[in-house]
Amino acid sequence: QVQLVESGGGLVQAGGSLRLSCAASGREFRFYAMGWFRQAPGKEREFVAAISWSGGSTNYADSAKGRFTISRDNAKNTVYLQMNSLKPEDTAVYYCAAGDSGPSPKQHDYDYWGQGTQVTVSS
């Protein structure tokens, strides 16, 4: 069992940066791939980025490539999403998730989800 708590969201101007954190409970964290997803108002939840259990493999949505970086610290049971050059269209609730299918972009490959953190980017 893994419990996930996101933090680091907030209000930022376009072009700014935020770093999201996802703290996991449970010693099994290091065995799970981790993903970040987001859901904008009126839209379906979508994939943002994912990282393998070791950190050696990552996967990004086209919208995140070149701007976002996912990383993890297994000693701290934490995964991060560094978001740079933010755009108003990045406004969404961001969720982290844990699964055992590698850095997958598919939501059904993740078994555990956090409650989300709001990111708002003003123009």
Side-chain angles (χ1 to χ4, degrees), residues 6-10 20-21 36 92-95 115-119:
E6 302 94 336
S7 62
L20 305 183
S21 299
W36 284 98
V93 177
Y94 284 70
Y95 300 89
Q115 293 300 306
T117 186
Q118 175 71 46
V119 171

Side-chain angles (χ1 to χ4, degrees), residues 8-108:
L11 174 64
V12 64
Q13 289 187 332
S17 298
L18 281 176
R19 188 176 81 156
L20 305 183
S21 299
C22 174
S25 64
R27 59 184 180 180
E28 304 302 321
F29 168 80
R30 66 186 184 276
F31 297 127
Y32 285 94
M34 299 297 296
W36 284 98
F37 293 79
R38 68 186 183 186
Q39 187 168 19
K43 296 186 177 181
E44 294 186 351
R45 189 160 57 185
E46 65 178 8
F47 170 71
V48 177
I51 190 167
S52 62
W53 68 271
S54 67
S57 180
T58 57
N59 191 4
Y60 293 93
D62 288 343
S63 60
K65 289 178 181 176
R67 299 189 300 128
F68 295 1
T69 302
I70 189 170
S71 62
R72 67 189 296 162
D73 185 339
N74 286 345
K76 296 182 178 180
N77 277 16
T78 302
V79 63
Y80 305 97
L81 185 67
Q82 177 67 44
M83 304 187 295
N84 299 327
S85 302
L86 283 161
K87 305 174 182 179
E89 51 263 44
D90 294 318
T91 295
V93 177
Y94 284 70
Y95 300 89
C96 70
D100 59 6
S101 297
S104 171
K106 300 177 181 179
Q107 296 185 48
H108 66 251

